[in-house]
Amino acid sequence: MPYWAVLLFDCGVVLCSHFLLYTMDHGIRATWASLGAVLVTLIIYLIPYVVGFRLFHTYSGVMRYSSFVDLYRVGMATVVGFAFDILIHLLPAHGIFMVVRTRELLFGWLLTTMLLFAVRILMKYLFEQVRGAGSRRRVFIYGTKAGGMALAKSIRMETTSGFQLQGFVSDSNDMPGHMLQGVKVYPNDENLVANMRARRATAILISPLKTERFMANEKMADRLMEAGIRIYTPNLAQQWDGKSDISMSQLREVEIEDLLPREEIQVDLDAVANLLRGRRILITGSAGSIGSEMVRQIAHWEPSQLILIDQAETPQHDVRLMMARDFGGIKCATIVCDIAHKSRMESIFAQYRPEYVFHAAAYKHVPMMEDNPSEAVQNNIEGTRVLADLAVKYGVKKFVMISTDKAVNPTNVMGCSKRICEIYVQSLDKAIKDGHVAGETQFVTTRFGNVLGSNGSVIPLFKEQIKKGGPVTVTHPDIIRFFMLIPEACKLVLEAGTMGHGGEIFVFDMGKPVKIADLARRMITLSGAKNVEVKFTGLRDGEKLYEEVLNDAEITKPTFNKKIKIAQVREYDYDEVNGWLDELLAISRQYDNMETVRKMKQIVPEYKSQHSVYQQLDV
């Protein structure tokens, strides 16, 4: 209704309430005999109520969305009307005024207030019942405290929410059986799915205060997914403050990445920010999944300049647009080039003089590098050596190299190439500290496993296969992997890289390993797809059943973060390593795959090929 219609309706309620009380007090005959004077008198007494309605804008709210705030305004408006009516009542009667008793004003005010409340509550209830009879999804809310109440309020207030609340779920023992906002509270037990089905609920909303607990409760998540119940969580940019509203538009459906077992990672970002703020920072591989996330995180700390390098033109252009859009105040150079192109890289270092280098560029796909070992040498190894040497020459304070768990006891070309990179930068750091090489650069290596959502990750592949109806291909029923979110991995890289003193290989606690076959089945269940099978295709060239983070001969030392440890590894002589790399690079330029890999195995004796043509070299 338009606002004037609401105002007229409320005025009618005031008149009817007071007329009813006057009639009950004076009798029908007396009221009818002086009806005109009675109506004029009641209109006079209505004016203060109109003033109250105007002061508190009671007519501006939409009745079917009435809230406690709207009822409060109505109550205050009627209090104003009643107070002024008492003042009028105390004035001497003049002419047309009828004698109105104080109790009539009092009970008239009470009846008016109750009717105005009742009408709004009834309108809201009827609207919700009618709307609920449509196509809205019936849902439960997990959480009965502030977060759950905020979700429930949004469901009732937002016309486009698409949800109808049917119940709450509580972990506590004292809440189940009680009623909240007109619906029942159920226990979080093995009967949860049955209780939801009894109420025909097909989805559950997770309170922002319960998100971490839910993600850690694999049994609850599995029960809900197997029953086909959709799971929604608030996608909040920052941690919820416990007070602000939660819009239904902020909800997103849970994805498999949310349900992987892992602990929350705590990083001292203030210390990292203090070191990088106002610095010139060069990032290689800036268009990749890890590199681009590092760009975003570092940009928040306001470096004086970012120098971003990648040879993939289109993704690098996307990074350029992102920087212009989100961090327009930061000076940024986006450069397309090959890190192994020494003269080009030297011109970049000479022009920009970076103070910190984060080296994420690498060829990393295992099967591709099995077929192209010469490219792995020339890009991964020689590219790293070019960057490291230039970092020393141009006085870079710290050089952080991103390695991989595949460098531990490598079974493939890619992993071995990254192990050789580790050996080179460690030997160079030692040579600087021993005074054999002039320089001040500290070289730090960070080593971790698979990151969710990265280019080449199994999860995007599985999603695509499920969308096409399957099958979902897994190489082996027993293959396991460690997983970490890209933002988490980058935070650990930044903390380890900036806190390290040079020469360390930092290894990350990747949490619990995940069986890939189980991951595939959970993704199929979560998607709701039917008749999608998991097909085992056999291990690929160079692939392990499980990844290691440390070599058998290595031990670790604790650090400033319980999730980060330092691997103690064999030290190498810099001149000897340099000679090995010269020979390896020369062999790689002949593009003889077998001879290239033979030399890599000489440099890294623990490199034993698996499911690969290069196994003959291990005999």
Side-chain angles (χ1 to χ4, degrees):
M1 292 188 296
Y3 75 89
W4 57 264
V6 177
L7 180 59
L8 284 178
F9 176 83
D10 290 347
C11 290
V13 170
V14 176
L15 286 175
C16 290
S17 299
H18 285 78
F19 183 80
L20 177 62
L21 267 297
Y22 186 93
T23 302
M24 291 174 63
D25 212 21
H26 294 271
I28 296 177
R29 287 186 179 181
T31 302
W32 185 255
S34 54
L35 182 62
V38 169
L39 291 178
V40 171
T41 300
L42 294 182
I43 290 173
I44 297 297
Y45 282 104
L46 170 64
I47 294 173
Y49 281 89
V50 175
V51 172
F53 295 149
R54 182 74 179 89
L55 285 174
F56 291 94
H57 298 278
T58 57
Y59 48 81
S60 62
V62 180
M63 281 195 181
R64 64 179 180 269
Y65 301 131
S66 296
S67 63
F68 175 79
V69 173
D70 296 304
L71 297 183
Y72 170 79
R73 288 174 178 170
V74 169
M76 293 303 297
T78 60
V79 166
V80 168
F82 174 67
F84 278 98
D85 277 355
I86 293 296
L87 292 177
I88 293 173
H89 181 67
L90 296 177
L91 295 174
H94 294 287
I96 61 172
F97 282 99
M98 297 294 295
V99 176
V100 177
R101 297 164 183 164
T102 304
R103 66 168 179 255
E104 294 167 18
L105 294 177
L106 174 62
F107 287 111
W109 165 64
L110 291 174
L111 183 59
T112 295
T113 304
M114 287 189 293
L115 286 175
L116 292 177
F117 280 7
V119 167
R120 282 161 170 79
I121 293 171
L122 180 63
M123 291 280 287
K124 180 180 178 69
Y125 174 77
L126 291 175
F127 175 73
E128 289 182 352
Q129 293 304 308
V130 171
R131 188 177 61 163
S135 59
R136 291 196 302 157
R137 186 186 291 273
R138 299 163 73 92
V139 300
F140 274 33
I141 291 177
Y142 177 41
T144 56
K145 295 186 178 179
M149 292 300 101
L151 287 173
K153 177 184 174 184
S154 295
I155 288 176
R156 296 188 185 280
M157 294 298 295
E158 295 185 22
T159 57
T160 58
S161 72
F163 297 123
Q164 183 186 15
L165 182 60
Q166 292 296 311
F168 286 91
V169 181
S170 175
D171 292 315
S172 63
N173 296 323
D174 58 340
M175 286 300 295
H178 288 76
M179 301 291 287
L180 281 179
Q181 297 204 11
V183 298
K184 188 176 178 181
V185 180
Y186 296 88
N188 182 15
D189 57 18
E190 62 276 2
N191 297 318
L192 174 59
V193 171
N195 289 329
M196 293 185 70
R197 282 177 172 161
R199 298 296 305 165
R200 293 183 289 124
T202 59
I204 188 167
L205 313 185
I206 311 300
S207 160
L209 302 180
K210 286 286 189 179
T211 302
E212 288 183 22
R213 182 162 187 161
F214 174 79
M215 298 309 179
N217 190 341
E218 292 183 48
K219 290 183 179 179
M220 181 183 182
D222 286 339
R223 282 200 304 267
L224 293 170
M225 287 191 297
E226 289 169 6
I229 291 170
R230 316 304 284 184
I231 305 166
Y232 295 87
T233 60
N235 185 23
L236 304 177
Q238 297 176 341
Q239 188 174 5
W240 188 57
D241 59 12
K243 300 176 183 177
S244 56
D245 292 338
I246 303 173
S247 171
M248 291 294 100
S249 63
Q250 292 176 297
L251 291 180
R252 66 175 178 84
E253 194 163 355
V254 163
E255 298 184 0
I256 192 65
E257 292 94 327
D258 302 315
L259 301 177
L260 292 177
R262 63 180 186 275
E263 296 179 7
E264 183 181 6
I265 291 176
Q266 301 291 340
V267 174
D268 186 2
L269 293 179
D270 289 338
V272 177
N274 290 335
L275 283 173
L276 299 183
R277 185 175 290 111
R279 303 288 190 175
R280 296 182 302 278
I281 299 171
L282 185 148
I283 302 173
T284 71
S286 58
S289 48
I290 293 291
S292 61
E293 176 62 24
M294 293 186 68
V295 170
R296 280 185 285 272
Q297 291 192 16
I298 292 173
H300 279 291
W301 298 322
E302 299 178 350
S304 65
Q305 185 174 22
L306 285 175
I307 305 99
L308 310 180
I309 296 174
D310 204 294
Q311 63 178 337
E313 179 206 13
T314 299
Q316 183 76 328
H317 181 254
D318 292 338
V319 171
R320 183 175 192 163
L321 295 177
M322 181 271 292
M323 287 298 300
R325 181 184 66 247
D326 300 336
F327 305 100
I330 295 177
K331 192 176 179 182
C332 178
T334 47
I335 302 168
V336 176
C337 67
D338 181 354
I339 59 171
H341 190 173
K342 188 173 182 179
S343 60
R344 176 65 176 127
M345 293 308 302
E346 175 136 25
S347 70
I348 292 171
F349 272 78
Q351 178 180 354
Y352 295 104
R353 301 280 176 166
E355 298 170 90
Y356 285 81
V357 171
F358 290 91
H359 176 35
Y363 288 149
K364 64 180 182 180
H365 293 284
V366 170
M368 291 294 290
M369 292 305 99
E370 288 296 291
D371 296 337
N372 300 277
S374 296
E375 298 301 328
V377 170
Q378 293 171 25
N379 185 80
N380 293 2
I381 300 174
E382 181 61 10
T384 298
R385 182 164 69 160
V386 166
L387 289 167
D389 291 348
L390 289 172
V392 175
K393 180 176 180 179
Y394 287 93
V396 170
K397 295 178 182 296
K398 191 162 293 184
F399 183 104
V400 182
M401 191 190 82
I402 297 175
S403 187
T404 170
D405 54 4
K406 293 176 176 63
V408 184
N409 290 328
T411 61
N412 50 66
V413 169
M414 193 281 286
C416 183
S417 72
K418 296 298 284 185
R419 176 62 190 135
I420 294 173
C421 293
E422 293 180 356
I423 290 171
Y424 182 76
V425 297
Q426 271 200 302
S427 67
L428 179 54
D429 187 90
K430 184 176 183 299
I432 292 172
K433 287 183 169 60
D434 292 342
H436 299 316
V437 172
E440 58 180 22
T441 307
Q442 297 176 342
F443 288 89
V444 174
T445 298
T446 59
R447 186 193 281 173
F448 57 91
N450 302 279
V451 286
L452 295 169
S454 67
N455 298 327
S457 169
V458 295
I459 289 179
L461 173 63
F462 287 173
K463 285 181 178 178
E464 188 65 26
Q465 290 176 334
I466 292 170
K467 182 190 268 187
K468 292 180 179 178
V472 175
T473 56
V474 179
T475 57
H476 193 282
D478 296 324
I479 193 167
I480 63 173
R481 289 292 181 266
F482 295 93
F483 286 100
M484 183 177 287
L485 291 176
I486 292 175
E488 293 175 343
C490 290
K491 287 176 183 177
L492 289 175
V493 167
L494 291 169
E495 183 174 33
T498 52
M499 298 295 108
H501 300 294
E504 305 100 334
I505 293 181
F506 289 104
V507 295
F508 299 161
D509 178 358
M510 300 290 292
K512 298 178 182 178
V514 176
K515 186 175 281 191
I516 301 301
D518 292 343
L519 174 66
R521 293 187 185 99
R522 291 188 88 188
M523 288 185 66
I524 293 170
T525 302
L526 186 62
S527 72
K530 305 296 183 184
N531 303 319
V532 175
E533 65 172 336
V534 175
K535 181 180 179 181
F536 298 104
T537 58
L539 291 172
R540 300 175 300 175
D541 291 351
E543 189 172 41
K544 302 182 187 182
L545 275 179
Y546 59 92
E547 302 289 3
E548 304 162 89
V549 180
L550 290 177
N551 185 292
D552 293 338
E554 295 172 351
I555 58 175
T556 62
K557 297 186 295 184
T559 69
F560 37 81
N561 188 321
K562 67 177 184 179
K563 286 283 186 179
I564 304 174
K565 292 181 171 56
I566 298 174
Q568 293 181 296
V569 298
R570 172 188 167 189
E571 294 183 340
Y572 291 81
D573 178 74
Y574 171 70
D575 292 330
E576 186 178 20
V577 172
N578 233 343
W580 293 343
L581 297 198
D582 287 339
E583 294 175 28
L584 177 60
L585 184 62
I587 295 171
S588 75
R589 286 176 177 153
Q590 298 172 12
Y591 299 97
D592 184 328
N593 291 349
M594 203 62 68
E595 288 305 311
T596 299
V597 174
R598 188 192 306 277
K599 184 60 182 178
M600 294 176 74
K601 288 178 179 289
Q602 291 175 5
I603 298 173
V604 184
E606 65 268 26
Y607 168 26
K608 305 295 180 185
S609 298
Q610 289 185 11
H611 311 287
S612 172
V613 296
Y614 307 121
Q615 283 179 281
Q616 59 185 288
L617 298 173
D618 298 324
V619 178

